[in-house]
Amino acid sequence: MADEVKLTKLAECAGCGAKVGAGQLAKLFEGFEAPRDPNLLVGFDHSDDAAVYRLRDDLAIVQTVDFFPPMVDDPYVFGQVAAANALSDVYAMGGRPITALNVMAVPESMPADTVRQILRGGFEKVVEAGASLAGGHSIYDDEPKYGMAVTGVLDPTKILRNDGARAGDALVYTKPLGIGIASTAVKGEVASRELEEAAVDAMTTLNRTASEVMLRYRTHACTDITGFAVMGHMLEMAEGAGLAAEIYPGAFELLPDVLDFAAMGILPSAVYRNRHFAEAHVEAGETPLALQDVLFDPQTSGGLMISVAQDDVQPLVADLAAAGVAAHVVGSMLPAGAVAGEKRIFLR
């Protein structure tokens, strides 16, 4: 049976916690010549969620690829999470997914039904997104990995990048935090059923509804919070816009028990990579260390961080709630004059 395979025992890291650190990744691209094609509107020279290529004045394609090792043992759920995570980059930029390609690596000894369940989970999320699964590529590897390359479409005049925030914008986040810590607790067999189910629910929820709702308002920037955590992705957002960010740590919804696990040191290794990347730019104030760790925690298939005009924030949150998305106001963007030395993110 497929559920007899313990997928998490086959992987050293879980989900987006396996990502190369943001600081290290940036160094790998140093010296590369920036793309010159004027129709490549967003490329690797920006720390953005996906690439955008203009086909005509009113149509562009948005492309992304994302894959990782398992963070759950259920192969069907693993497939769902990996697909939701890959689709998220298109939603973060205001796009609509249209096609997806599987990217898979599995041990040659893995039972065929286990592989099928991973693929079924991914397929069903693509269908839920209203897109088409169009094939993919697979190889054998000792450690299982799965994800997708996704293509979407959008209006090139309405791209939501992660560097478009404006001073005075409110920051709205759309999922509970603590997914990386929860995955670590599950792998260590210390998580409660409540925590495991809540984490799976968060990871398998598409950001489709949140994206569709935010497009009704004056949203100036957006990014999905994934492997680089709240602090890493917010640093990219603040630096990209030439602003600072004020974050309200107590305003985030947290998954059950994750604060206690953080206090006990049950943390994925990526927390420390994320700290190394962003900590010098963060003024933590009186924020307890355990809550700081949650803000540095890598989120697999995390929510959208939306930078929206202050006058629109309450209608946006209300609209999201009516659509079934429990969003919270978790901060605001500050003018460039608020930057103090290296500090760009202030926890209040």
Side-chain angles (χ1 to χ4, degrees):
M1 296 295 290
D3 60 3
E4 292 177 348
V5 177
K6 291 286 188 180
L7 292 180
T8 57
K9 301 301 183 185
L10 300 176
E12 291 188 11
C13 295
C16 284
K19 280 190 174 181
V20 175
Q24 184 178 354
L25 191 61
K27 291 179 181 178
L28 294 174
F29 279 94
E30 286 180 358
F32 286 24
E33 186 176 351
R36 297 181 180 276
D37 188 335
N39 289 313
L40 183 61
L41 304 180
V42 182
F44 72 80
D45 50 330
H46 297 275
S47 300
D48 232 311
D49 294 297
V52 179
Y53 191 88
R54 179 173 50 206
L55 299 178
R56 58 180 193 239
D57 289 345
D58 62 347
L59 180 66
I61 56 171
V62 51
Q63 294 179 296
T64 185
V65 59
D66 214 323
F67 67 102
F68 44 53
M71 73 306 296
V72 293
D73 286 321
D74 187 315
Y76 171 71
V77 173
F78 174 40
Q80 287 187 305
V81 173
N85 181 73
L87 291 159
S88 184
D89 286 341
V90 175
Y91 292 132
M93 300 198 75
R96 176 175 61 86
I98 55 172
T99 62
L101 299 169
N102 286 315
V103 179
M104 171 176 270
V106 293
E108 194 168 1
S109 60
M110 181 172 283
D113 188 54
T114 300
V115 178
R116 177 176 171 79
Q117 291 305 312
I118 294 172
L119 293 171
R120 183 171 71 90
F123 169 75
E124 291 188 3
K125 278 298 164 183
V126 171
V127 171
E128 183 182 338
S132 299
L133 188 63
H137 184 66
S138 61
I139 62 170
Y140 288 126
D141 190 4
D142 290 341
E143 183 175 273
K145 303 171 187 71
Y146 177 63
M148 290 181 168
V150 182
T151 298
V153 292
L154 48 66
D155 183 334
T157 66
K158 298 178 180 179
I159 301 170
L160 285 178
R161 298 171 53 144
N162 67 359
D163 62 359
R166 301 180 186 179
D169 278 0
L171 295 169
V172 175
Y173 187 62
T174 65
K175 283 188 181 183
L177 282 183
I179 290 172
I181 295 170
S183 298
T184 302
V186 169
K187 188 172 182 178
E189 299 181 348
V190 294
S192 66
R193 177 65 63 86
E194 179 189 12
L195 173 57
E196 186 170 1
E197 290 179 351
V200 166
D201 181 65
M203 290 187 291
T204 57
T205 297
L206 293 180
N207 282 323
R208 176 180 182 173
T209 300
S211 179
E212 291 172 349
V213 173
M214 75 175 177
L215 292 174
R216 303 171 192 164
Y217 295 91
R218 288 174 294 170
T219 298
H220 298 135
C222 182
T223 187
D224 59 338
I225 303 298
T226 54
F228 302 154
V230 171
M231 292 294 91
H233 288 288
M234 280 310 308
L235 178 59
E236 291 180 338
M237 182 178 279
E239 287 185 331
L243 303 173
E246 184 176 55
I247 301 296
Y248 318 139
F252 286 90
E253 178 185 356
L254 304 185
L255 290 170
D257 304 326
V258 297
L259 200 56
D260 291 335
F261 283 129
M264 289 186 281
I266 299 176
L267 303 168
S269 60
V271 167
Y272 304 103
R273 291 199 297 272
N274 289 335
R275 270 193 177 277
H276 180 72
F277 169 62
E279 188 173 34
H281 306 280
V282 177
E283 176 55 67
E286 301 298 318
T287 306
L289 180 60
L291 186 51
Q292 291 181 46
D293 284 336
V294 175
L295 297 176
F296 284 104
D297 180 45
Q299 305 301 289
T300 298
S301 189
L304 299 183
M305 183 69 78
I306 303 166
S307 184
V308 63
Q310 189 67 236
D311 290 346
D312 284 359
V313 66
Q314 293 306 326
L316 169 63
V317 171
D319 225 359
L320 287 167
V325 179
H328 301 274
V329 180
V330 297
S332 62
M333 299 303 297
L334 304 176
V339 176
E342 291 188 323
K343 307 298 183 183
R344 280 192 179 269
I345 301 176
F346 302 88
L347 305 186
R348 305 298 190 204

